[in-house]
Amino acid sequence: MAVMAAAGLVSLSSTPFDPVARAQPDVMTPAGPGTGPVAPDGSAIAGTRRVDERHLELTVHSAAMNLDFPVDVQLPADRSAPRPVLYMLSGGSGGKGAASWDRRTNAFDFLSDKDVNVVQPIGGAASYYADWRQPDPRLGIMKWSTYLTEELPPLIDAALGTNGVNGLVGVSMSGTSVLQLPITKPGLYRSVAAFSGCARIADPVGEMYVRITVGFGGGDAGNMYGPSGDPMWAANDPYLHAEALRGLDLYLSSGNGMPGPHDKAGDRHFAGAGDSLANQILVGGILEAAVDQCTHAMADRLADLGIPATVELHPYGTHSWGYWDDELPASWPVLAHGLGL
């Protein structure tokens, strides 16, 4: 429950933290007395900005990384009782710029009539939202698993008065992460949806996919899990540890790399300037064909273990936001069941 979730947090004020009441439109509250919950490890909600009646922008300090990160929040349609939280992770860009749920999809509109707190952490580009074995010269200290499982949820629960029930959605890079995080922190999440992710990272093809993704973001995956064959790759492979996903409401999906309805100029998900439709079709097709193999393998693994999962393997679709936007409503019954909605 919300009161239990807040245990261990130190309030900076005798007045309960109300992010809606404290945040002023277009004004970022500086860190200091009364700003928000603070954990014993030093992680804290350092600032808030109210965008409108339903939307907040939080600044959350990670003690593990000693950095502040934005977190976008959409409050539930009905706030008369404590509600669950749906965490939505972005792909390789970490949600910065145009490649995010709020910029490239209708996710927040779709969820606007749902009784759920929607939380979109920003940051973690090329990180796989993992705890890296050592700092990366380009990306710095990466302790994203600690941030997402240990630091952020208690702060969100305390600040928003949630009921302590969580769901998790990820695409592309984070389609791997959303299967890793529930294994790292059993019991934290009740439902998980992974769109176009690759769970089998200790496999040579999966490892190559991870290294390409991290390299594209300027990092070196060797600083994450070490050289090929290092035990850390297997230790963080959701395919190998799929048994730990038993009991979750699971949804997995992928396209097969062939062009589909969203691979055309003028599609509402296509950003246009700075993007290339040819790149989406060619590179996005190759990427999606690869993750399609990963999704097939993970689906087979879950079936072999007798772990129920809803799996959608589409006969078209590239590695792009239009298809992930379609998958959110498709996955909602599975997510909602785990969230108790």
Side-chain angles (χ1 to χ4, degrees):
M1 301 301 290
V3 174
M4 296 177 64
L9 296 177
V10 179
S11 175
L12 288 177
S13 171
S14 60
T15 304
F17 179 67
D18 182 342
V20 178
R22 295 289 182 86
Q24 299 299 317
D26 300 316
V27 177
M28 181 62 72
T29 305
T35 297
V38 176
D41 64 6
S43 57
I45 294 181
T48 63
R49 184 174 75 88
R50 190 179 71 189
V51 179
D52 56 38
E53 182 62 24
R54 292 280 304 281
H55 298 93
L56 306 171
E57 291 180 359
L58 307 180
T59 298
V60 177
H61 178 73
S62 166
M65 292 181 278
N66 195 28
L67 291 171
D68 292 350
F69 299 102
V71 176
D72 295 336
V73 174
Q74 177 172 278
L75 298 172
D78 181 355
R79 285 171 272 161
S80 62
R83 302 300 184 188
V85 180
L86 181 63
Y87 289 91
M88 304 189 71
L89 303 183
S90 295
S93 70
K96 290 186 176 181
S100 62
W101 283 103
D102 58 326
R103 298 284 295 276
R104 295 296 287 272
T105 75
N106 290 322
F108 283 74
D109 288 339
F110 171 75
L111 295 166
S112 65
D113 64 347
K114 311 296 190 292
D115 293 331
V116 62
N117 295 281
V118 184
V119 175
Q120 178 183 225
I122 305 298
S127 70
Y128 270 86
Y129 296 105
D131 279 5
W132 289 34
R133 68 191 298 162
Q134 62 192 29
D136 185 85
R138 293 284 299 277
L139 302 180
I141 296 173
M142 305 289 259
K143 296 292 182 182
W144 281 92
S145 180
T146 294
Y147 175 68
L148 292 172
T149 63
E150 302 291 344
E151 297 180 327
L152 184 61
L155 294 170
I156 290 293
D157 289 342
L160 304 183
T162 78
N163 66 3
V165 176
N166 302 307
L168 190 60
V169 178
V171 302
S172 187
M173 177 187 81
S174 65
T176 301
S177 310
V178 298
L179 297 173
Q180 292 171 326
L181 295 170
I183 296 171
T184 299
K185 186 72 172 180
L188 180 59
Y189 309 101
R190 302 280 185 86
S191 54
V192 171
F195 310 150
S196 301
C198 189
R200 202 173 182 177
I201 64 170
D203 173 82
V205 175
E207 180 186 333
M208 179 178 66
Y209 183 83
V210 171
R211 289 186 180 278
I212 289 172
T213 302
V214 173
F216 186 78
D220 178 357
N223 295 316
M224 179 168 63
Y225 295 145
S228 296
D230 190 283
M232 280 192 74
W233 287 93
N236 289 278
D237 187 318
Y239 176 90
L240 296 178
H241 300 279
E243 176 61 40
L245 298 172
R246 188 179 299 277
L248 295 174
D249 286 88
L250 294 170
Y251 182 98
L252 282 71
S253 70
S254 65
N256 68 354
M258 297 299 293
H262 296 300
D263 298 299
K264 59 184 179 182
D267 184 83
R268 60 190 174 86
H269 304 91
F270 186 63
D275 282 2
S276 164
L277 183 57
N279 185 71
Q280 177 171 306
I281 292 173
L282 296 176
V283 178
I286 293 170
L287 291 175
E288 195 67 9
V291 300
D292 187 44
Q293 294 182 35
C294 290
T295 305
H296 274 85
M298 189 63 176
D300 291 343
R301 172 74 166 161
L302 293 171
D304 289 344
L305 293 171
I307 297 176
T310 299
V311 182
E312 295 292 340
L313 302 169
H314 299 288
Y316 57 80
T318 58
H319 202 71
S320 49
W321 282 100
Y323 301 101
W324 303 330
D325 194 19
D326 291 344
E327 287 304 298
L328 182 61
S331 66
W332 178 246
V334 174
L335 292 166
H337 184 268
L339 292 170
L341 298 174

